[in-house]
Amino acid sequence: MAPAPSETPGRVGFRAGWVFAAIWLFYLGENLNALLRHPAGMWRDVGLVALALFAVTYVLLVSIMRKPRSDGGYPPSELRIWLGLLVLLALALLQLPAAGQHILTCTVYIAASAVMGLPLRSGLAVAVTIAVAVEVAIRVVPEWRTTSQGYALAVVLAAAATWGMRLAFERQGRLIQAQNELAELAVADERSRIAGDLHDILGHSLTVVAVKAELAQRLLDVDLDRARAELRDLESLARDALADVRATALNMRGISLPGEIAAAKAALAAADVKAELPGAADDVPTRYRELFAWTIREAVTNIVRHSRARHAEVRLCPDSVEIVDDGQGCTSTAGGGQGLAGLRRRADELGARLIAGQRGDRPGFRVRVEVPS
């Protein structure tokens, strides 16, 4: 006869909790039989009405306990529950003249409702108080001593069962809340990953587009054919960047190390930076090729965009990739810009080490990624 659990934060309730509560009302059949056996009169009529109102109030009280409490606390719902418990107690007492000791059945419903709806300490205190009061009443009223044994134990057992149900539902509620939080974190991480990928893609592509556009503008009055070639490259770069963005949004995008080496050659040449690049990438393990490709892309983008370098070199080994230049470096990137932050995230995922900062042997900037050998 325990009520359905309330749907508070951290607690899971039945969608049809009132049906679950109404099922337990069949125990009130003892009260109904006692009232019907009582001689007709005022107290019998009062008892029948009180019994019907008791059942309705109990179901309504369960419905109140099922309502979500947005603030996570008990007020004002706790006040409603206290009022509901007092109404149940009053309706039980109104049955006393005609139903006699059978009203003790109602105390089981009251105790279970208190344990489920009130704060745990208050609910247990109410249940204990009711159990003690029932035991005292049985001992005080002589007619009840032989026919009412076990009601106090029934109150205790109902309170204990309800307490167990409440704890189980609270644990389940906390588990669901934790799962929702993990899902939200996963969504946030995925958004961050996509944002980082889009930054890397557009940052590189738009930088090259800007450099080639400037070069084409300078060539318009000098070499028209070469300017047209640069404009054709701009169109191709724009289409490739658009395709990369679409593929990234669909989580289908991957980059190749040879492709990034070729793209770095074109970007550095367009920026009038003399470059030394590896001719092949066959010695790099497949697992690290994508990381090395992102490293080259990010470093070359920063060289073209920020460094004002005249010379750059890409050094590629099976367990490391290093890009150095002779420019002035980039304070924003060295301080942990968005590009390096995304690159560091990728390196951490593979247990690699990222080193970025000013060169120690000569002026310039260095980006190096080392993987476990």
Side-chain angles (χ1 to χ4, degrees), residues 311-371:
H311 180 271
E313 181 180 359
V314 177
R315 302 166 183 168
L316 185 63
C317 299
D319 58 355
S320 68
V321 61
E322 185 176 50
I323 302 92
V324 295
D325 63 68
D326 60 356
Q328 64 182 11
C330 174
T331 56
S332 63
T333 303
Q338 175 62 31
L340 280 184
L343 185 58
R344 191 178 303 278
R345 171 176 57 80
R346 292 187 176 91
D348 291 341
E349 289 175 355
L350 293 177
R353 180 187 179 197
L354 170 64
I355 303 172
Q358 300 296 327
R359 298 174 64 178
D361 53 347
R362 64 187 68 179
F365 197 76
R366 177 179 71 152
V367 176
R368 179 180 176 84
V369 169
E370 301 173 349
V371 299

Side-chain angles (χ1 to χ4, degrees), residues 222-250:
V222 179
D223 190 341
L224 190 58
D225 290 337
R226 188 179 172 190
R228 287 172 177 164
E230 293 294 336
L231 290 175
R232 286 193 294 270
D233 288 344
L234 283 177
E235 180 183 3
S236 177
L237 282 171
R239 292 182 183 278
D240 290 343
L242 180 59
D244 284 343
V245 170
R246 288 174 175 170
T248 298
L250 296 174

Side-chain angles (χ1 to χ4, degrees), residues 1-12:
M1 60 189 66
S6 55
E7 291 182 345
T8 59
R11 193 180 300 178
V12 179

Side-chain angles (χ1 to χ4, degrees), residues 26-35 37 51 99 101-102 105 151:
F26 74 89
Y27 282 110
L28 293 177
E30 296 183 10
N31 298 49
L32 179 61
N33 290 332
L35 291 170
R37 290 196 304 267
L51 178 62
Q101 71 271 22
H102 294 287
T105 305
Y151 275 104

